[in-house]
């Protein structure tokens, strides 16, 4: 299932807007300036997903937070955020979370709720969709567990949209990989929606 160059460009623009809003909301939550680089988006077909992301889920200090979404027109999928816990330790100490792994995960859950809800709401709004969400959940917090959970999530995915995100806070930076996993029966409706948006311009 191939996206045209125009469809890819259109989705890039929609994601840029959505991530900009998510970055602004995160800045308000943390009470600091957050600079967001332009997200890099890559389309990965199902046969290449596992191999492509193998190196992303091998860290012994990593957390995976997942949230499912479901919309009209057959749109559905799973939004996954992958964090390096080493960055989380430092970030938690900067923003008055108590020391310890549980507090780090609490902070990451708070950040994930903001990023996912703001991002998905903006993306849905631009596509004229109504979305419902499952509650975000911490799936795993170590390399082996993250890899196992990730492979399980891939079972029903036909397409992955890999969105590389780098947030620059004042005097501090942390990385977060956002992955949008989309099952095969939702790819065609997504293409159709993007084509409709393009026809309006």
């Amino acid at each position: 299932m191939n996206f045209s160059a125009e469809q890819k460009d259109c989705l890039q623009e929609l994601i840029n807007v959505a991530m900009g809003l998510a970055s602004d909301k995160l800045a308000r939550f943390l009470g600091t300036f957050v600079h967001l680089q332009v997200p890099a988006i890559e389309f990965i077909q199902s046969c290449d997903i596992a191999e492509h992301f193998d190196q992303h889920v091998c860290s012994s200090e990593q957390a995976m937070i997942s949230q499912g979404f479901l919309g009209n027109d057959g749109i559905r999928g799973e939004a996954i955020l992958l964090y390096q816990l080493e960055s989380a330790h430092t970030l938690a100490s900067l923003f008055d979370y108590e020391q310890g792994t549980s507090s780090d995960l609490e902070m990451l859950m708070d950040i994930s709720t903001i990023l996912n809800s703001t991002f998905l709401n903006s993306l849905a709004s631009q596509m004229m969709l109504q979305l419902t969400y499952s509650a975000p959940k911490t799936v795993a917090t170590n390399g082996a567990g993250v890899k196992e959970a990730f492979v399980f999530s891939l079972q029903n995915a036909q397409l992955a949209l890999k969105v590389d995100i780098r947030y620059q806070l004042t005097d501090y930076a942390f990385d977060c990989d956002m992955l949008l996993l989309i099952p095969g029966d939702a790819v065609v409706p997504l293409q159709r929606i993007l084509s409709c948006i393009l026809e309006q311009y």
Side-chain angles (χ1 to χ4, degrees):
M1 297 182 182
N2 296 320
F3 284 69
S4 68
E6 291 79 10
Q7 289 173 333
K8 290 181 180 179
D9 289 343
C10 179
L11 186 58
Q12 173 80 62
E13 289 303 316
L14 298 180
I15 288 178
N16 288 349
V17 171
M19 289 311 309
L21 292 175
S23 175
D24 179 69
K25 194 163 184 178
L26 180 62
R28 296 174 188 274
F29 173 73
L30 296 176
T32 187
F33 176 77
V34 177
H35 172 70
L36 174 66
Q37 296 183 6
V38 176
I41 300 174
E42 188 169 0
F43 290 73
I44 301 165
Q45 298 301 323
S46 56
C47 58
D48 301 320
I49 292 175
E51 179 180 357
H52 188 93
F53 288 117
D54 186 58
Q55 294 183 349
H56 278 258
V57 293
C58 62
S59 171
S60 60
E61 286 289 318
Q62 196 171 47
M64 173 177 168
I65 295 177
S66 171
Q67 184 169 19
F69 59 90
L70 175 66
N72 53 312
D73 290 335
I75 296 296
R76 63 187 180 93
E78 181 180 7
I80 293 175
L81 293 172
L82 292 173
Y83 299 95
Q84 297 298 323
L85 285 179
E86 182 178 355
S87 296
H89 299 328
T90 304
L91 192 61
S93 66
L94 290 175
F95 295 103
D96 297 325
Y97 284 83
E98 295 181 3
Q99 296 295 312
T101 302
S102 61
S103 294
D104 293 346
L105 292 177
E106 177 189 352
M107 179 204 66
L108 291 179
M109 186 64 74
D110 290 340
I111 289 176
S112 297
T113 299
I114 291 169
L115 292 179
N116 273 342
S117 62
T118 307
F119 172 82
L120 291 173
N121 282 336
S122 174
L123 201 59
S125 177
Q126 294 177 82
M127 292 183 175
M128 304 296 289
L129 294 173
Q130 296 291 328
L131 290 184
T132 57
Y133 315 101
S134 63
K137 57 184 179 181
T138 302
V139 179
T141 57
N142 61 67
V146 167
K147 190 165 187 176
E148 182 179 347
F150 192 71
V151 170
F152 179 79
S153 294
L154 293 178
Q155 289 180 351
N156 296 319
Q158 176 70 26
L159 175 75
L161 304 181
K162 177 175 174 287
V163 185
D164 286 329
I165 308 162
R166 181 175 174 82
Y167 298 96
Q168 178 73 51
L169 281 66
T170 304
D171 301 323
Y172 183 71
F174 74 100
D175 293 314
C176 166
D177 285 317
M178 171 179 276
L179 311 173
L180 300 181
L181 300 181
I182 301 173
D185 59 1
V187 173
V188 172
L190 177 59
Q191 292 174 309
R192 184 169 58 247
I193 290 170
L194 293 173
S195 294
C196 289
I197 293 174
L198 288 166
E199 289 174 0
Q200 298 174 12
Y201 297 95

